[in-house]
Amino acid sequence: AKARVMNRQSQKRVVDAPVSAVIWRLAIRHVFFTTNYHCLSNCLQFSAAFVASETFQFYLAGTSLFMNTFGWEILGSTLVLIYSRAGRSTISKNNGSSGSNVWVWFRYFQWTEMLASCLSVSVMKWHLMVWAIFAPRFMFAAVFTVICLSLWVLDVLLDFVAPFITNIHKSKQHIS
């Protein structure tokens, strides 16, 4: 009986990549809505633009407002990318899948959200509340997608540059 208990404790439970991506996605959105934001332009916290300095500076205020609004999305998406890149080097022994699938599924869910936003704006274009509800939601989805896309480009660039850096590092070790 002790052997079975020890064996069960030593086995790690592996969470599938789609489930992990959904958990990340929901956690990021939960933090977005928990900070009293909604996907409406009149719910922006404009006071964040005046936090950093006593005098108004246009670019600093805009950056501060952007980071206050979308900072959690940037931070969360970056953490998902880091998590998936770390998973690429450690392949699971149980099923042979890597953590990079989490990033693939995360991007898939982001693009699905963007597609659903586009469809809702297209279908509801003659609706009375299109400018109050559907268009701001589309704008937020577009910004979230641009953040995810820019991190994807960073991921591709890192994959492209990484072999060159390791070759340079190996050649320096070989010389010394």
Side-chain angles (χ1 to χ4, degrees), residues 5-7 22 27 36 44-45 50 59 63 66 92 110 123 125-126 137-139 145 149 152-153 166:
V5 171
M6 295 286 283
N7 192 16
V22 166
N36 203 20
L44 292 176
Q45 298 172 0
F50 303 100
Y59 295 110
T63 303
F66 180 82
S92 174
Q110 180 59 48
V123 169
K125 63 184 170 187
W126 299 112
R137 177 69 188 108
F138 173 73
M139 294 298 293
T145 304
L149 181 65
W152 176 69
V153 168
T166 55

Side-chain angles (χ1 to χ4, degrees), residues 32 38-41 44 69-70 136-144:
F32 176 78
H38 305 286
C39 292
L40 299 170
S41 52
L44 292 176
T69 306
F70 301 109
R137 177 69 188 108
F138 173 73
M139 294 298 293
F140 273 81
V143 172
F144 293 151

Side-chain angles (χ1 to χ4, degrees), residues 12-157:
K12 291 185 179 180
R13 293 185 184 227
V14 178
V15 178
D16 290 334
V19 175
S20 186
V22 166
I23 291 170
W24 276 101
R25 189 103 213 114
L26 291 176
I28 292 169
R29 287 304 153 87
H30 176 72
V31 171
F32 176 78
F33 289 113
T34 303
T35 55
N36 203 20
Y37 273 105
H38 305 286
C39 292
L40 299 170
S41 52
N42 62 347
C43 291
L44 292 176
Q45 298 172 0
F46 291 108
S47 61
F50 303 100
V51 171
S53 67
E54 293 186 20
T55 60
F56 180 75
Q57 297 174 357
F58 184 76
Y59 295 110
L60 182 62
T63 303
S64 179
L65 181 62
F66 180 82
M67 291 306 292
N68 187 37
T69 306
F70 301 109
W72 288 109
E73 181 76 20
I74 294 169
L75 179 65
S77 299
T78 304
L79 288 175
V80 173
L81 179 61
I82 291 169
Y83 172 74
S84 67
R85 288 189 67 81
R88 289 180 194 169
S89 60
T90 59
I91 296 177
S92 174
K93 294 178 184 175
N94 294 340
N95 58 6
S97 65
S98 65
S100 65
N101 289 337
V102 174
W103 179 242
V104 172
W105 280 100
F106 187 82
R107 286 182 306 174
Y108 170 75
F109 292 137
Q110 180 59 48
W111 284 103
T112 304
E113 179 186 346
M114 185 65 197
L115 178 66
S117 247
C118 287
L119 288 175
S120 69
V121 168
S122 298
V123 169
M124 301 291 185
K125 63 184 170 187
W126 299 112
H127 193 277
L128 179 65
M129 300 299 287
V130 71
W131 297 112
I133 297 172
F134 302 114
R137 177 69 188 108
F138 173 73
M139 294 298 293
F140 273 81
V143 172
F144 293 151
T145 304
V146 166
I147 290 169
C148 188
L149 181 65
S150 62
L151 287 172
W152 176 69
V153 168
L154 176 68
D155 184 36
V156 169
L157 287 174

